[in-house]
Amino acid sequence: MTIDLHADPITLTAALVDIPSVSQGEAAITDRVERALREQTTGFEVLRHGNVVLARTNRGLPTRVILAGHLDTVPIADNVPGHFAVGPAGERVLYGCGSVDMKSGNAVFLHLAATVAEPMHDLTLIFYDCEEIAAEFNGLGHIERDHPSWLAGDLAVLGEPSGGWIEAGCQGTLRVRLSTSGVRAHSARAWLGDNAIHRLAPILQRLADYRAREVDIDGCVYREGLSGVRVSGGVAGNVVPDLAEIDVNFRFAPDRTVDQAVDHVREVFAGLDISFEVFDFAPGALPGLTAPAAKDLVASVHRHGGGGVRAKFGWTDVSRFAARGIPAVNFGPGDPNLAHKRDEHVPVHQITDVTAILRNYLTGAAR
């Protein structure tokens, strides 16, 4: 099956949805994207690296914009192939796995690559695999390692679902494991032991009492959160346990580094008799909206009726670009709250709207 990049991006989205591409099963969709970019665009250098497709122009323009999106989806839930229907609000929508996260965003980027004849920026397109699973498999991470020159640019736009809003930057994430120890005993003689589960009580109290910080950066308000996300303990129904654990997730505003986030969590639980292990983290990304290329995108959104600008609370791959000093935003069709759901669906007007906004931005019409 050939995908037509010159087709309406709504039709192109439907074609992409109908190509199953669960994480680590992206070969078929990657083949079609690569072939389409080679055959249906002009002026692009195209590179295939595993199940990542990269394409870039080299027109010698003063700025370069990166359009990046992941090709993989979560496991299919009886929602491929997709279908059109009338949505809950009476609008026309496209249902299907990946319709929100993020084949509609990819369709917009592919369509623009084929139809924007005279962009005012050089363009780099990156379509990558394995975003939905462990970071070690992430195709964008492999490009960072093997082809870092392809990640150079003045602004990166990730097609993550944002409902047509610019969701700037992202929050960082940190997970720590707090462990308590006690003395094992028969529960009939509980006084001979020291219950490790009971020792979790002060940890839980501090989590309940925690008040999240709100931070305004470039007009985007990030709200932090500290949450217990997993509790483990117990040996048998008649044993006082000698070990209990609780995993705590800290979502932190991008004005903190990972080290500062770790220090903050240590402070929250200071003075408790616990062990403290950091086992997962990823830095946040500052919004970078003061960069000239980002300002022009914001102007295009405002001029052409987009949703505006707000903070991104979750973590996305914009963090990888921010770590390289490149301003990065999330901007795509679809409600992120519908991502990964069985009834995942995108209002088709959002695909059209995002396409129009980005076309005006890339051609300079927003000015």
Side-chain angles (χ1 to χ4, degrees), residues 9-97:
I10 297 169
T11 302
L12 180 53
T13 300
L16 294 177
V17 168
D18 288 350
I19 306 171
S21 57
V22 176
S23 301
Q24 297 187 310
E26 303 95 339
I29 196 169
T30 308
D31 290 344
R32 289 165 173 79
V33 168
E34 179 191 12
R35 179 178 177 182
L37 285 170
R38 292 189 185 277
E39 295 181 352
Q40 301 177 40
T41 64
T42 58
F44 281 90
E45 172 192 3
V46 179
L47 173 69
R48 174 79 174 259
H49 181 75
N51 280 329
V52 180
V53 180
L54 307 103
R56 65 184 174 191
T57 62
N58 291 287
R59 301 171 183 261
L61 297 171
T63 52
R64 177 174 293 278
V65 172
I66 300 168
L67 304 176
H70 63 84
L71 295 170
D72 62 317
T73 71
V74 296
I76 293 167
D78 299 321
N79 52 359
V80 171
H83 67 279
F84 291 96
V86 176
E91 76 279 33
R92 185 171 180 246
V93 302
L94 171 62
Y95 283 86
C97 185

Side-chain angles (χ1 to χ4, degrees), residues 263-287:
D263 289 343
H264 175 70
V265 177
R266 287 188 184 278
E267 291 171 3
V268 171
F269 299 105
L272 300 183
D273 184 15
I274 58 175
S275 67
F276 186 103
E277 175 194 359
V278 176
F279 66 94
D280 183 55
F281 61 85
L286 290 166

Side-chain angles (χ1 to χ4, degrees), residues 44 59 111-120 123 358-359 362-363:
F44 281 90
R59 301 171 183 261
H111 177 75
L112 292 171
T115 60
V116 174
E118 297 185 4
M120 65 174 295
L123 300 179
L358 283 176
R359 184 183 300 280
L362 294 175
T363 59

Side-chain angles (χ1 to χ4, degrees), residues 169-173 222-224 251-254 282-285 312-315:
C170 70
Q171 300 209 135
T173 181
Y222 298 88
R223 191 177 192 279
E224 296 184 329
R251 296 297 177 123
F252 55 93
K312 180 68 174 180
F313 292 135
W315 186 92

